[in-house]
Amino acid sequence: MTERAADRLTDLLELRRTSLFDIDSEHRLLVGNDDTGSTQLYEVSPDGQWRQLTHLGEPCSGRYLPGERVVVLSADTGGTERAQLSLLRLDTTGSEQRLPTPEPLVHDPAFIHDLLEVQPGRVIYSTNRRNGVDFDVIARDVATGEERVLWDGGGWFNGARVSPDGRWVVLSRMTTLPASSQLLLVDSQDGTSAAITDDEVPGEWANPRWLPDSSALLASSDAEGVQAHRDAEGVQADRDAEGVQAAEGAGVADNGTGFVSLRRFDVAHRTWSMVAGTEGSDVYGWPSPDGNRIAVVSSSDGADSLEVRSPDATVGHPIALPHAGVLTFRTNLIWSPDSSELGMTFSSPVQPPEAYSWRGGESVNRRTTGNPAEATADLIEPRSFRAPAPDGEQIPTFAIIPPNAAGSAVMIIHGGPESATVRSWNPMAAALALAGYTVVLPNVRGSAGYGRRWLSLDDVEKRLDSVADLVALREWLPAIGVDQSRIALYGGSYGGYMVLAGLTFYPDLWAAGVDIVGMSSLVTFLQNTSAYRRVYREREYGRLKEDYDVLQAASPLPIIDRITAPLFVIHGANDPRVPLSEAEQVAAAVRSSGAECELLVYADEGHGLAKRVNQLDAYPQALEFLARHLS
C-alpha cells in the first residue's frame, strides 16, 4: 500500500496549480503557474493562448502596470522572502516566444521590497532598508526612478490602496495587539497622515477598496466599538479642512458577532458605517471600477460563497462556484478595468487552484486549462464536525473519511496560528485519505474564521489550551471510527509547534509526528526570528521580556526528553520566520534522548517547500514514515 500511496501522492503533487494575479484592459490574465516546478508568470489571452513570461527557478508573482504592456515582477531567492522588484516589457516588436528579460526596478538583496500597489507610471512598495526592521512605504516613478516617501513612521504593512483621483492612499499596518491591524490615510497632496482606525482596539482591518468617486472606501473588520478617534504615534492629524483628520468619536457599526463584516469609511465626514455582515460568516467586498456593483465573498466553516450585489450591497445575485471550496486569494478578487469581468482563483479539497472569471450569468467560468478530470475523480470531500472539549467548547473540525478506513488517522494542524484549515487544495491530505487513513483537519482555539472570541482563546498565557484541544480531538475520534492508539500529528509552522507540543506535553497519546518548519522553543524562536518579524510574533505568543516564563512553560524543547513517538522533521535552510536552528536543536535533543528522529533540510527553501523537486523528495518520505508507524 505504501508504494501505491507514494505514487498517488506524486501524481497529485505534479498536478498543475494556477493562480490569478491580474487582468489588463484587453482581458488578458496574468497568472502564476507551477508547470516548471515553481510558480512562474504566464499571460493568458482571451482566446486561451498561454505565453510564458518568466523562468527564474524561484517562485514569483506580479502585477500589470496599468496602461502599458509592462509587468512588475516580484521574486526572492531561495525562500529568503527578501523580495526584489523588476520590470518585464511585453512589447511585440520581438518574438513572443522569447522570454522578456527582467529589468531591475527596486533591487537591494539585503532588504525586502514588497509590492503593495501599481498605478499608471508608478509603483508603491514597502521596504525595511532604512534600519532592517521598520517598513517605509515608497511611491516610485517607473520612468524617472524618482521616489517619494509616503510613510516612515514605523511598522509592517500588508496593503496599500490609492484612491481613483490619486489624492488618498490608505495603508494597512499591523499593530502590536494580537491578530490586529490599523488603517492609515495619507494625503498625497501635502504628505499628511492620520489613523482612521484605533490601534488600541483589537481587530483586523483587511482588504481596503476605494469607491470609484474617491468619496469613501470599503474595508472588512472584526473590530468592535468606537474607532478612528485616536492618533497613532507619529501620525499627523488635526489638519485644516483640506487635510486628513482623525474623526473624533467616529463610530464603527458592527454586527456584534465577532465575525468579519464589510464596512464603509466616508472621507468627508470621517465616519464608519456597516455595509454587510452575517452571523457565522466573514464578509469581504470588492467594488467594481464603474461603481455599479460590489463583489461580496462570505466565508463560513471553511467554504466561500460569492455574490454580485448592488452598489449599496443590499440586493445580491448569487454566483455559483464549481463546488464547496475557497477563493484562494480572497483578498485579491480582480475586476477588469472596464468592470465587465471579475477574476478569481478557486480551489477545493478535490481540485487544485485554477483561474476563473464571471462575466454575467449564474456561475463562474474556467479561464485557464485544468487538469484531466480523471486525475482527481477519486478524491474524497471532507465532512464538517464539532468535537467537544472538556470546558464546553466545540472544536470546528473537518475529516476526510475514506470508505476503506482502517482505523489509523493523521491529524493535520494548520499554521498561523491566526489562520485556519479551509476547504482548499491539500495533496498530502488527499493522498493519505486515498491510502485508507482518516484525515482530521481541526481548527483548534486560536483559529480564524469562527469569530473574534475563538481567535483570541490561545493568546499568550492561553497557549497550552490550544494544545489541550488535540487531546479533546483524540477523545472524540472513536466516534468516527478511529483507533486511538494509531493517531499521528502532522503540521507546518505553528502547526509544527503544535506537533512538538502534543508529543511532549501528552507523550503517551500519539503514534508519530511530522514537524515541518515548526518552532521547538517559543523563546529561541523569538530570539532568532528575523528582527522585522519579532514584535509582531510577540503580540501573539508573548513578549520575551515580560512573558519569558510563559513562553518557556509553553515550549516543547525544555521537556523534549518526554518524546517517545517517532518524529520526522522537514525544514528550509533559509527560513526567515522559523530559523533552521529550531529544527536542528529539536532533532539533536530527541536523538540524544534515544527516540527516533529523521531530519530533512533543503538548502534552497525558506518557510516551507515551494519547489516541486523538494516536495517530491520530502513528502513521499513523510508518507512512508507515517505508514511505517501507523500500520
Side-chain angles (χ1 to χ4, degrees):
M1 181 178 72
T2 302
E3 184 176 348
R4 292 197 303 273
D7 289 343
R8 194 69 179 94
L9 174 59
T10 296
D11 292 341
L12 295 174
L13 290 170
E14 290 181 336
L15 292 178
R16 165 182 282 187
R17 287 171 283 190
T18 303
S19 299
L20 178 65
F21 292 136
D22 212 347
I23 305 176
D24 75 0
S25 60
E26 300 299 321
H27 295 268
R28 289 175 286 239
L29 305 184
L30 182 66
V31 302
N33 177 271
D34 65 349
D35 278 352
T36 64
S38 62
T39 299
Q40 300 300 305
L41 293 183
Y42 293 76
E43 186 173 66
V44 184
S45 66
D47 63 1
Q49 297 298 310
W50 284 64
R51 177 188 178 188
Q52 186 172 353
L53 303 181
T54 62
H55 189 54
L56 304 179
E58 300 285 350
C60 59
S61 61
R63 295 279 306 278
Y64 284 117
L65 195 64
E68 302 183 49
R69 292 290 289 140
V70 174
V71 166
V72 183
L73 166 71
S74 175
D76 70 0
T77 301
T80 61
E81 299 183 8
R82 293 194 291 272
Q84 310 297 306
L85 304 181
S86 305
L87 298 180
L88 300 175
R89 299 192 184 276
L90 309 183
D91 61 84
T92 57
T93 56
S95 170
E96 290 197 4
Q97 302 304 312
R98 189 180 305 122
L99 296 180
T101 301
E103 301 175 12
L105 178 64
V106 183
H107 271 230
D108 185 340
F111 301 105
I112 296 169
H113 315 287
D114 281 333
L115 181 62
L116 299 179
E117 177 68 298
V118 290
Q119 289 187 285
R122 73 170 183 167
V123 299
I124 296 177
Y125 68 96
S126 64
T127 177
N128 66 339
R129 67 189 175 206
R130 176 164 52 87
N131 59 17
V133 178
D134 293 304
F135 284 80
D136 300 336
V137 179
I138 310 292
R140 181 184 180 94
D141 186 287
V142 172
T144 67
E146 180 182 355
E147 293 194 338
R148 180 181 179 187
V149 177
L150 299 177
W151 174 266
D152 60 0
W156 188 8
F157 291 83
N158 54 20
R161 293 290 168 187
V162 180
S163 62
D165 65 6
R167 178 173 180 182
W168 310 108
V169 183
V170 62
L171 303 175
S172 178
R173 180 176 74 159
M174 299 175 69
T175 73
T176 56
L177 297 178
S180 295
S181 58
Q182 175 187 39
L183 295 183
L184 306 172
L185 197 62
V186 178
D187 186 336
S188 62
Q189 290 183 354
D190 60 15
T192 59
S193 309
I196 60 172
T197 65
D198 194 331
D199 65 351
E200 290 191 349
V201 174
E204 290 279 12
W205 290 87
N207 198 39
R209 300 280 166 168
W210 286 96
L211 298 185
D213 63 0
S214 304
S215 66
L217 63 86
L218 302 180
S220 294
S221 181
D222 56 5
E224 296 184 7
V226 175
Q227 295 287 327
H229 64 281
R230 180 185 174 276
D231 292 345
E233 182 180 353
V235 174
Q236 298 176 0
D238 297 324
R239 301 299 174 201
D240 56 31
E242 294 299 317
V244 182
Q245 295 187 25
E248 190 67 35
V252 177
D254 63 71
N255 57 8
T257 64
F259 285 82
V260 173
S261 58
L262 181 62
R263 314 180 188 193
R264 182 182 189 274
F265 178 74
D266 186 283
V267 174
H269 297 95
R270 311 298 192 258
T271 56
W272 286 94
S273 58
M274 237 275 284
V275 175
T278 304
E279 173 70 38
S281 296
D282 290 340
V283 182
Y284 305 86
W286 292 260
S288 62
D290 63 9
N292 292 329
R293 293 177 289 195
I294 300 176
V296 175
V297 173
S298 298
S299 302
S300 178
D301 198 28
D304 291 344
S305 61
L306 173 64
E307 286 184 293
V308 174
R309 296 190 184 181
S310 59
D312 61 2
T314 59
V315 179
H317 175 68
I319 308 300
L321 299 174
H323 38 262
V326 294
L327 297 162
T328 309
F329 293 91
R330 66 178 54 157
T331 57
N332 198 26
L333 267 68
I334 301 167
W335 285 99
S336 62
D338 65 3
S339 301
S340 68
E341 182 174 18
L342 177 67
M344 65 206 75
T345 305
F346 176 83
S347 79
S348 78
V350 297
Q351 177 189 313
E354 192 166 339
Y356 285 80
S357 69
W358 176 82
R359 301 193 70 170
E362 303 299 318
S363 61
V364 297
N365 298 305
R366 193 189 309 268
R367 277 293 308 266
T368 52
T369 305
N371 297 287
E374 59 271 18
T376 55
D378 57 347
L379 302 188
I380 306 162
E381 293 270 13
R383 295 165 56 188
S384 181
F385 297 92
R386 295 294 186 272
D391 60 359
E393 299 288 354
Q394 299 286 313
I395 307 166
T397 303
F398 300 106
I400 308 175
I401 307 174
N404 60 335
S408 298
V410 179
M411 193 182 301
I412 300 180
I413 308 140
H414 68 75
E418 313 98 322
S419 184
T421 292
V422 296
R423 294 178 182 269
S424 62
W425 179 242
N426 186 330
M428 176 60 89
L432 284 166
L434 291 176
Y437 301 102
T438 296
V439 181
V440 184
L441 302 138
N443 282 306
V444 296
R445 63 193 73 198
S447 301
Y450 297 90
R452 185 82 197 176
R453 187 190 71 86
W454 188 252
L455 181 69
S456 303
L457 287 181
D458 69 337
D459 293 347
V460 191
E461 70 279 356
K462 304 174 186 175
R463 180 64 43 207
L464 293 179
D465 292 348
S466 64
V467 182
D469 280 350
L470 303 179
V471 181
L473 286 158
R474 180 182 182 273
E475 293 301 307
W476 166 79
L477 280 174
I480 58 171
V482 171
D483 179 350
Q484 288 183 322
S485 68
R486 291 188 290 152
I487 303 172
L489 300 177
Y490 182 109
S493 191
Y494 177 73
Y497 159 80
M498 289 288 283
V499 169
L500 298 175
L503 295 182
T504 51
F505 288 97
Y506 303 98
D508 301 325
L509 304 186
W510 316 106
V514 176
D515 156 34
I516 304 173
V517 297
M519 306 94 78
S520 54
S521 165
L522 296 181
V523 172
T524 58
F525 156 64
L526 289 173
Q527 288 172 338
N528 298 321
T529 191
S530 298
Y532 63 89
R533 292 185 56 87
R534 185 174 300 114
V535 66
Y536 301 105
R537 291 294 78 199
E538 285 186 319
R539 68 182 192 166
E540 168 70 27
Y541 298 113
R543 289 167 173 78
L544 281 167
K545 290 183 178 180
E546 294 89 347
D547 304 304
Y548 181 91
D549 291 344
V550 172
L551 294 166
Q552 186 77 345
S555 294
L557 190 64
I559 55 171
I560 206 70
D561 59 350
R562 294 184 186 179
I563 287 186
T564 57
L567 178 64
F568 194 91
V569 182
I570 300 171
H571 218 101
N574 304 322
D575 192 339
R577 304 186 187 192
V578 179
L580 174 61
S581 55
E582 292 297 302
E584 292 174 330
Q585 66 188 10
V586 76
V590 170
R591 289 166 178 166
S592 68
S593 68
E596 177 186 343
C597 181
E598 299 181 44
L599 171 62
L600 299 181
V601 178
Y602 293 88
D604 58 347
E605 295 281 10
H607 194 61
L609 303 184
K611 299 173 182 176
R612 183 180 292 122
V613 63
N614 297 329
Q615 296 170 1
L616 291 173
D617 181 69
Y619 295 145
Q621 290 189 64
L623 183 67
E624 189 277 333
F625 168 85
L626 291 169
R628 190 165 70 247
H629 294 290
L630 289 176
S631 61

